[in-house]
Amino acid sequence: MSFIDEQIKGLQAPAPRAPGTFALAVAAIFLAQALFLGAMIWDRMMLLRSGTEVTLAIEPVDPRDLFRGDYVILTYDISRLEESKLAGDNDFKEGDTVWVALEEQGGLWQAAALHRKAPSEGTFIQGRVDYAIGARPRTVEEDEPCENCRMLTLSYGIESYFVPEGTGWDLEEQRNENRLAARIALGGDGEAAIKGLLLDGELIYEEPLF
């Protein structure tokens, strides 16, 4: 074998693997996952602990939408909004991100305006347009109902809440009697997390920090 052939063979041969390299790689992956999970837990804990707190009214749900496992489906009065009744931006499409400005009215927070970007001040919640129904976007304030105005169905990532086993059916009944409200923590970007549930104004479930 010539000198050149020997050099080519050496280049083609697999490089020796240092002992423990695979174990170190696996450990690095687990560490990265642990750090990522820890960051998520920390962010949620800080949101629940220090986020702006609002109370949202919970609406009845179609009885065909049954109780699912150990969590209750929640729909809010800000889950369906008519553009014609709100200030701010309009003509939202399905899939759009929307920031809903909130105002307190009688202890509950209601939608006041729609924005395509996070407002620089005030209290607001970030959501997503699931459905946009209607041909005409908002133009002027109207006293009469608008049959063709755009109706938005929104989700905020707070549409379900895990409850102790065996309590879901009672909560669903109370929800459909308009007796439930949700205490929500809001981050600076409008991110929302359920902090607790209220029955007739009294706190009955509180989300643990951990």
Side-chain angles (χ1 to χ4, degrees), residues 83 88-93 96-100 114-119:
E83 284 186 344
D89 298 319
N90 57 61
D91 201 16
F92 287 91
K93 304 295 192 302
D96 285 352
T97 300
V98 57
W99 282 265
V100 180
L114 303 174
H115 301 283
R116 294 189 179 277
K117 296 182 179 179

Side-chain angles (χ1 to χ4, degrees), residues 26-77:
V26 172
I29 293 173
F30 277 109
L31 178 60
Q33 292 177 336
L35 290 174
F36 178 74
L37 180 60
M40 290 180 59
I41 294 174
W42 175 259
D43 289 343
R44 179 173 177 79
M45 182 187 73
M46 294 305 297
L47 175 59
L48 292 173
R49 174 177 290 178
S50 58
T52 300
E53 189 174 293
V54 301
T55 301
L56 300 178
I58 294 175
E59 292 190 334
V61 173
D62 190 320
R64 292 172 298 178
D65 192 358
L66 299 178
F67 174 68
R68 302 174 182 179
D70 290 328
Y71 64 93
V72 172
I73 303 299
L74 302 177
T75 299
Y76 304 89
D77 61 354

Side-chain angles (χ1 to χ4, degrees), residues 78 81 85-88 100-103 105 110-115:
I78 63 169
L81 300 174
K85 296 182 178 180
L86 299 170
V100 180
L102 301 174
E103 291 182 351
Q105 299 179 12
Q110 309 289 336
L114 303 174
H115 301 283

Side-chain angles (χ1 to χ4, degrees), residues 34-193:
L35 290 174
F36 178 74
L37 180 60
M40 290 180 59
I41 294 174
W42 175 259
D43 289 343
R44 179 173 177 79
M45 182 187 73
M46 294 305 297
L47 175 59
L48 292 173
R49 174 177 290 178
S50 58
T52 300
E53 189 174 293
V54 301
T55 301
L56 300 178
I58 294 175
E59 292 190 334
V61 173
D62 190 320
R64 292 172 298 178
D65 192 358
L66 299 178
F67 174 68
R68 302 174 182 179
D70 290 328
Y71 64 93
V72 172
I73 303 299
L74 302 177
T75 299
Y76 304 89
D77 61 354
I78 63 169
S79 296
R80 293 187 73 252
L81 300 174
E82 183 181 322
E83 284 186 344
S84 64
K85 296 182 178 180
L86 299 170
D89 298 319
N90 57 61
D91 201 16
F92 287 91
K93 304 295 192 302
E94 293 179 5
D96 285 352
T97 300
V98 57
W99 282 265
V100 180
L102 301 174
E103 291 182 351
E104 187 176 11
Q105 299 179 12
L108 297 175
W109 292 72
Q110 309 289 336
L114 303 174
H115 301 283
R116 294 189 179 277
K117 296 182 179 179
S120 58
E121 59 183 5
T123 302
F124 52 88
I125 183 171
Q126 181 181 342
R128 179 183 182 276
V129 179
D130 293 328
Y131 302 101
I133 302 175
R136 182 160 65 84
R138 179 184 65 83
T139 54
V140 295
E141 294 294 333
E142 296 174 301
D143 295 329
E144 298 298 326
C146 176
E147 294 182 359
N148 293 321
C149 284
R150 189 180 303 274
M151 294 294 301
L152 304 179
T153 300
L154 309 176
S155 58
Y156 303 95
I158 51 174
E159 283 69 36
S160 62
Y161 187 74
F162 284 87
V163 294
E165 184 177 358
T167 63
W169 295 111
D170 290 338
L171 280 176
E172 285 214 327
E173 183 177 348
Q174 293 156 357
R175 175 201 62 193
N176 291 341
E177 293 174 352
N178 287 318
R179 299 176 61 192
L180 284 184
R183 184 170 292 173
I184 306 296
L186 298 175
D189 59 353
E191 179 187 3

